[in-house]
Amino acid sequence: MEFFEDSFGKVNDQDVTRYTISNDNNVKISVLNYGGIWQQYSIPSNNNHFNMLLAADSIEDYLDAGYSIGQLIGPVANRIDQAKFSIDGKEYSLEKNEGNNNIHSGSQGWQNHFWDVKAEIDKNSAHLILHNNYSPTADGMPANTDIYVVYTLRNDDSVTIDLYGQTDAPTLFNPTSHTYWNLSETDLTIEKQILTINSDYHLAVNKEKIPTGELVKNTNAYDFKKGQRLENALTEMNKTPEKGFDDFFVVAPSSTYAGKEIASLANPVTNLKMRMYSDRNALVMFSANGLPNTVKLNHPGCSWAALALEAQTLPDAPHHPEFGDITMRPLAPVHHWIKYEIEYPGQKLSKS
């Protein structure tokens, strides 16, 4: 296990640092102290290393690209209808940053803050530990919170993101990693890759992408239960106004007895595969629809250049109690987790 850090640019005259850990198999992950951006998850390849994540080589290029690439989204991911919610009968208002709604906690979300970062390394795992304290004036939420996010790389090549929160007053807590995947070093898009989602239903939404509360059976383009080549699904979704996916799948949490992955993505040409696990009941999928060709990323900019897979509780849960309770209360710390396992040719199967 190794650790190093390097400069990654500046935001508002403050230094952005990239923190990198590598395991005994020369698998690497990198995280930035700005926005908690997960910048790298790379494996050894014929071209030295292959980064499975859509990524930029400077913070300036990330900010120019937009699309929340790799960002740590919180305290609440996705949309809140009318930018309002109630806890115990008291109503709170948030910034309206997408029409009349709030998305990704607005301009004060975690993705727009610097984090304190430290590394811890032991025999079979390495950790990047991000920490921040947020006040209502800092993140727009009605409480003071103490947040830790831990990225862990193990010698079995897996990565876990642990999200810990505690609060001094009732507030909301439903963060995610807005990570985009492309498991091909050569293909411009993810169309040839095979996606599997452990899901029978997705959420019906209105024109503003706000859930109506209705569950829709997954059929045709939405049916990934047994695995589907993305080209087939995206061709069908290209007929929609979004020209691709921006959808909310109901999944069985991996923390249930079966402990199954919520999703997997595979490149059948190279036999590279990623399995994704989560303790929550939703997978938000966005296919980078309309990503402009002016972006400076490790893949050329175009629609479907990569696939965002965001594990969280079902969106707009404060207005749909049946979706799950994302309220965080004093004396009741909350812990969520997302785990990624990978398989690739030549992989060393050392275990943690």
Side-chain angles (χ1 to χ4, degrees), residues 198-274:
N198 186 17
S199 172
D200 294 313
Y201 298 93
H202 63 280
L203 298 185
V205 296
N206 65 20
K207 293 181 179 179
E208 296 179 321
K209 304 298 291 189
I210 299 294
T212 66
E214 179 187 1
L215 302 183
V216 181
K217 182 71 174 179
N218 294 336
T219 59
N220 301 321
Y222 289 93
D223 186 4
F224 293 95
K225 193 69 177 280
K226 296 182 179 179
Q228 182 178 176
R229 184 181 166 108
L230 279 162
E231 181 179 21
N232 303 331
L234 287 167
T235 298
E236 188 65 25
M237 295 302 292
N238 198 40
K239 302 172 185 176
T240 67
E242 294 88 351
K243 304 290 185 183
F245 282 100
D246 185 5
D247 290 280
F248 318 143
F249 289 83
V250 182
V251 298
S254 306
S255 52
T256 56
Y257 179 76
K260 294 181 179 180
E261 64 262 32
I262 62 169
S264 67
L265 185 65
N267 182 340
V269 176
T270 64
N271 294 318
L272 171 59
K273 186 172 187 177
M274 182 276 291

Side-chain angles (χ1 to χ4, degrees), residues 278-335:
S278 165
D279 69 314
R280 289 175 286 174
N281 64 0
L283 181 69
V284 175
M285 181 168 75
F286 177 58
S287 51
N289 312 323
L291 183 69
N293 59 13
T294 54
V295 297
K296 298 178 181 178
L297 302 170
N298 58 342
H299 291 275
C302 65
S303 289
W304 315 341
L307 189 67
L309 298 171
E310 309 155 51
Q312 59 173 89
T313 299
L314 289 165
D316 200 32
H319 298 118
H320 300 278
E322 69 276 16
F323 287 179
D325 185 5
I326 64 169
T327 307
M328 182 166 64
R329 298 181 179 275
L331 305 179
V334 178
H335 170 217

Side-chain angles (χ1 to χ4, degrees), residues 157-227:
D157 299 338
S158 68
V159 170
T160 303
I161 304 175
D162 288 286
L163 306 128
Y164 300 92
Q166 54 185 346
T167 182
D168 68 350
T171 188
L172 301 183
F173 187 77
N174 187 25
T176 193
S177 174
H178 205 293
T179 307
Y180 291 79
W181 300 82
N182 186 332
L183 301 187
S184 173
E185 294 188 70
T186 57
D187 292 343
L188 291 178
T189 72
I190 39 83
E191 291 173 82
K192 295 180 182 178
Q193 293 166 45
I194 297 173
L195 177 68
T196 305
I197 305 178
N198 186 17
S199 172
D200 294 313
Y201 298 93
H202 63 280
L203 298 185
V205 296
N206 65 20
K207 293 181 179 179
E208 296 179 321
K209 304 298 291 189
I210 299 294
T212 66
E214 179 187 1
L215 302 183
V216 181
K217 182 71 174 179
N218 294 336
T219 59
N220 301 321
Y222 289 93
D223 186 4
F224 293 95
K225 193 69 177 280
K226 296 182 179 179

Side-chain angles (χ1 to χ4, degrees), residues 338-352:
I338 311 167
K339 184 178 182 181
Y340 309 86
E341 296 178 346
I342 56 172
E343 297 177 7
Y344 58 92
Q347 183 177 29
K348 300 175 183 178
L349 296 177
S350 54
K351 300 294 183 181
S352 58

Side-chain angles (χ1 to χ4, degrees), residues 75 120 332:
E120 291 185 358

Side-chain angles (χ1 to χ4, degrees), residues 11-150:
V11 172
N12 298 327
D13 294 323
Q14 188 170 343
D15 290 335
V16 177
T17 301
R18 173 170 56 183
Y19 299 85
T20 301
I21 49 180
S22 61
N23 68 8
D24 295 347
N25 308 322
N26 204 20
V27 172
K28 300 178 181 181
I29 69 167
S30 298
V31 175
L32 308 185
N33 65 336
Y34 183 76
I37 291 172
W38 188 8
Q39 191 267 337
Q40 177 182 201
Y41 187 4
S42 68
I43 59 175
S45 75
N46 293 331
N47 297 318
N48 189 19
H49 269 86
F50 167 53
N51 188 2
M52 296 176 286
L53 310 182
L54 185 66
D57 284 330
S58 72
I59 190 61
E60 292 80 8
D61 289 342
Y62 271 111
L63 297 179
D64 288 344
Y67 278 68
S68 301
I69 297 170
Q71 291 178 341
L72 183 59
I73 303 294
V76 179
N78 214 274
R79 296 169 178 86
I80 295 181
D81 188 22
Q82 300 299 305
K84 294 180 180 180
F85 65 94
S86 296
I87 300 178
D88 300 333
K90 184 175 181 179
E91 186 174 85
Y92 301 92
S93 296
L94 301 172
E95 174 188 4
K96 294 181 178 180
N97 65 321
E98 188 187 62
N100 290 318
N101 308 310
N102 178 275
I103 186 170
H104 294 335
S105 300
S107 60
Q108 294 177 285
W110 295 354
Q111 61 273 20
N112 297 312
H113 289 268
F114 279 89
W115 294 74
D116 295 325
V117 183
K118 68 175 183 179
E120 291 185 358
I121 296 177
D122 54 41
K123 182 178 179 181
N124 287 307
S125 61
H127 318 273
L128 294 173
I129 303 169
L130 283 64
H131 176 249
N132 222 329
N133 295 115
Y134 291 103
S135 66
T137 55
D139 70 0
M141 288 290 176
N144 297 297
T145 56
D146 186 27
I147 306 297
Y148 283 89
V149 178
V150 182

